[in-house]
Amino acid sequence: MIIFLIGFMGCGKSTLGKRLARKIDYEFQDMDTEIEEKAGMTVNEIFAQKGESWFRKAESEFLHSLDASKNMVIATGGGAPCFGDNMEEMNRLGITVYLKMSPVSLASRLENTRSLRPLLKDLTPGVLPDYIGERLKEREVWYNKAKCIIKAESVKPAHVVALVFGAAE
Ligand code: S3P
């Protein structure tokens, strides 16, 4: 089974994903890292040199190349569910878990790592909470299609295990 962790930038998909995978002995993959390794450049460089649409195509190709029979935890990029048929594809391939976090929590977590993220790096810190609030509202149309939704502020791998394996039975 593939477990997809989805949610806004900064909600903790990669950190939780690694811990969850270790706990249940699944393989872990970070979608951004996979794309960066294949392209031989960082996400920032991809956006600057190839453009966002190239990156969105790479995300979609990555998802469509997955083998649903494998046991994997995948931390997706924050925008991945919101393009093309990616959300439908993830729901077809496995279990989607939306790590839901408030704009205020997201803004405080993203303050120091903004420079790594092409969509945030040129924003002034003061506008971050409003920007996140607006983007999140748009994106929740897709995020809310997840099979499981969990509050991300204090989530632990065991919570996801209970939710996912409960939902799969
Ligand atoms: C993006 C989120 C990023 C990365 C890219 C675009 C987005 O991943 O895929 O910068 O559109 O929200 P994280 O959610 O891991 O930061």
Side-chain angles (χ1 to χ4, degrees):
M1 175 167 70
I2 305 180
I3 301 172
F4 295 96
L5 300 182
I6 70 164
F8 206 81
M9 293 172 266
C11 72
K13 297 167 298 228
S14 303
T15 307
L16 180 72
K18 276 182 211 151
R19 292 176 58 205
L20 172 64
R22 209 176 308 130
K23 186 176 178 66
I24 58 177
D25 201 19
Y26 275 27
E27 183 189 339
F28 172 75
Q29 280 193 2
D30 182 284
M31 207 169 152
D32 285 343
T33 307
E34 295 298 315
I35 293 171
E36 285 179 326
E37 280 174 4
K38 203 167 166 197
M41 47 179 103
T42 65
V43 172
N44 264 340
E45 288 166 346
I46 294 172
F47 269 63
Q49 293 171 34
K50 294 178 179 279
E52 180 174 350
S53 56
W54 190 95
F55 179 77
R56 298 305 174 194
K57 199 162 156 263
E59 286 185 318
S60 183
E61 281 171 6
F62 169 81
L63 289 175
H64 284 80
S65 73
L66 292 170
D67 176 354
S69 68
K70 288 206 172 140
N71 285 336
M72 298 174 84
V73 176
I74 296 181
T76 63
C82 317
F83 289 84
D85 67 347
N86 292 349
M87 196 61 207
E88 287 73 20
E89 183 65 3
M90 287 190 272
N91 276 330
R92 194 181 68 76
L93 290 169
I95 296 242
T96 44
V97 180
Y98 170 29
L99 303 181
K100 191 178 170 85
M101 192 176 269
S102 73
V104 174
S105 302
L106 289 168
S108 82
R109 290 165 59 109
L110 285 166
E111 231 163 81
N112 298 325
T113 54
R114 271 173 338 109
S115 61
L116 302 171
R117 293 174 163 102
L119 298 178
L120 306 179
K121 69 182 175 54
D122 298 325
L123 300 176
T124 51
V127 305
L128 209 53
D130 282 350
Y131 174 87
I132 291 170
E134 280 162 30
R135 272 285 161 104
L136 191 58
K137 220 164 131 214
E138 296 163 5
R139 289 186 165 187
E140 280 205 316
V141 174
W142 286 277
Y143 295 162
N144 284 331
K145 292 182 181 173
K147 289 197 184 134
C148 306
I149 299 179
I150 195 159
K151 222 170 157 303
E153 271 88 354
S154 56
V155 66
K156 297 215 162 46
H159 301 145
V160 182
V161 171
L163 205 62
V164 166
F165 292 99
E169 275 164 14

